[in-house]
Amino acid sequence: MKITEDGWFRADVPVRFRDIDAMGHAHHTLPLVYLEEARAAFWRELKGSASVDAIDYVMAEITLRFHARIRFPSDVTVGLAVRRVGTKSFTTDFEVRSASGELLSSGTTVQVAYDYTAERTKAIDPADRAILERWLTAGNSSFGSAG
Amino acid sequence: MKITEDGWFRADVPVRFRDIDAMGHAHHTLPLVYLEEARAAFWRELKGSASVDAIDYVMAEITLRFHARIRFPSDVTVGLAVRRVGTKSFTTDFEVRSASGELLSSGTTVQVAYDYTAERTKAIDPADRAILERWLTAGNSSFGSAG
Amino acid sequence: MKITEDGWFRADVPVRFRDIDAMGHAHHTLPLVYLEEARAAFWRELKGSASVDAIDYVMAEITLRFHARIRFPSDVTVGLAVRRVGTKSFTTDFEVRSASGELLSSGTTVQVAYDYTAERTKAIDPADRAILERWLTAGNSSFGSAG
Amino acid sequence: MKITEDGWFRADVPVRFRDIDAMGHAHHTLPLVYLEEARAAFWRELKGSASVDAIDYVMAEITLRFHARIRFPSDVTVGLAVRRVGTKSFTTDFEVRSASGELLSSGTTVQVAYDYTAERTKAIDPADRAILERWLTAGNSSFGSAG
């Protein structure tokens, strides 16, 4: 179980050469790609679901801050913590750190549950909500050890 | 000259098949790539500089909101407006619209001038500042018609 | 109609900043992305079909040669010509040229018709075959002018 | 040391969600990206050089065959073997396999040493040549165990 007592889920992601742009650092969209890998790892681990079909939300809003340039070759560690669980949407904070712990990027994303067939937002699935709410209270409770 | 009287610079960007992810829409990082194309077009047009070497700033912060899914094939129009010019940084608003004018994505980016040799932030180059300040006041002045 | 008398279909594709890698040129996968845009434009124009669902083949084999580095900013022109139409597969030659006509990349791709539901290869759809065969003989016939 | 007695260097690469295209499998350019990660790992391990500046060759020709679709989430293993070392260029075979050993993609790439300052091909650096030649004969010799 990778959720720590303070409620952060962490996953390591290797930086690829293709991530690096003409300025010699990872293109500024890459923290979001690293975050996506951590988010997928979270759902795989918590929900036990691995397939792309299981992803039934879309991005509503992203805030992304850049603290240091990301270089190749390296691994980054993405931390992910849930901050709010609403009826249709949930909010997560994230940070991307170097192997030595330096803060590289940080931010917040808001996801909204989405019915891809009807092409409209929907209420968060109860099973997903239960996972998110357990995660939300992980910092205060036994989530980490019970997971 | 593509800066309109209200201070928006606009550029069209074709969506690529490769932009589309497994969910059938442009991956959520793509609005930033479309925006980057518009920003590069802005500098080429205003500064007359085309080379990658001319780009001497880094991203400091991005806020990105998603209003509608972006599909393939299509062209999007990116609008870009400067909102603040500081000593070292400048702030721009952007919006991505479909060919029919539907708002697809919007947001704000903060760029900070960067010395790639010294690897630290720097004051905005005076020539760039002059361009940005003319653009900032474009909505109230003759910038659009004089450009 | 963009198929010339010698049987080449041509489409222009703008190079993006994000295409450029740490070595200062378009990453070596990008000619295939530019080619894909031309191929999609071909099907849109010839078949009148715009949707992703209409693409029912997979890549079987690619040969790709690099003649010159691709820079940003620039537009490239992708030429595409069909060389063989089999029962299940068809072979196309391609070339990527700069705006001034310099040959940048060239190669050959073999596509095989694919049933995404059954997850196996299939015979080329008769309507697609008719388009490909007309294109194949375009160099010798009135295809270009009749299109 | 990851070069086996038969002369193959192998590296694992995690597939990312962003690699998957609208057809539900890794876009057909991705085997080349996975290969690139293995090639970079090879140079890091054999040359002890980690920086992007150390990469002083360009792609000359690629042949790429597709055997099975690549899915998310999964790890792939890229195998890399040198087949020919010339004055200016060297040829490598590669294969991409699933975790269970299924062959997903295979092919051959030809790299040519390149002087990025003079912007022309050059002879392979002697130290790199020594590494490549030791690797070339690895299947017949003690390279694997001596590395």
Side-chain angles (χ1 to χ4, degrees), chain C residues 58-97:
Chain C
V58 291
M59 281 289 154
E61 186 168 336
I62 293 172
T63 304
L64 173 55
R65 287 177 298 274
F66 300 87
H67 306 285
R69 300 167 76 196
I70 300 178
R71 305 290 196 160
F72 174 85
S74 69
D75 287 345
V76 295
T77 301
V78 182
L80 192 56
V82 68
R83 291 307 181 209
R84 192 190 65 84
V85 183
T87 305
K88 290 181 153 189
S89 70
F90 62 99
T91 302
T92 42
D93 282 351
F94 71 91
E95 50 176 46
V96 179
R97 290 183 182 274

Side-chain angles (χ1 to χ4, degrees), chain D residues 29-42:
Chain D
T29 54
L30 266 295
L32 299 178
V33 172
Y34 304 145
L35 169 60
E36 182 171 59
E37 291 308 295
R39 207 164 45 227
F42 170 80

Side-chain angles (χ1 to χ4, degrees), chain C residues 27 36 60 62 64 66 119, chain D residues 27 36 60 62 64 66 71:
Chain C
H27 187 260
E36 182 170 58
I62 293 172
L64 173 55
F66 300 87
E119 300 203 24
Chain D
H27 187 259
E36 182 171 59
I62 293 172
L64 172 55
F66 300 87
R71 303 290 195 159

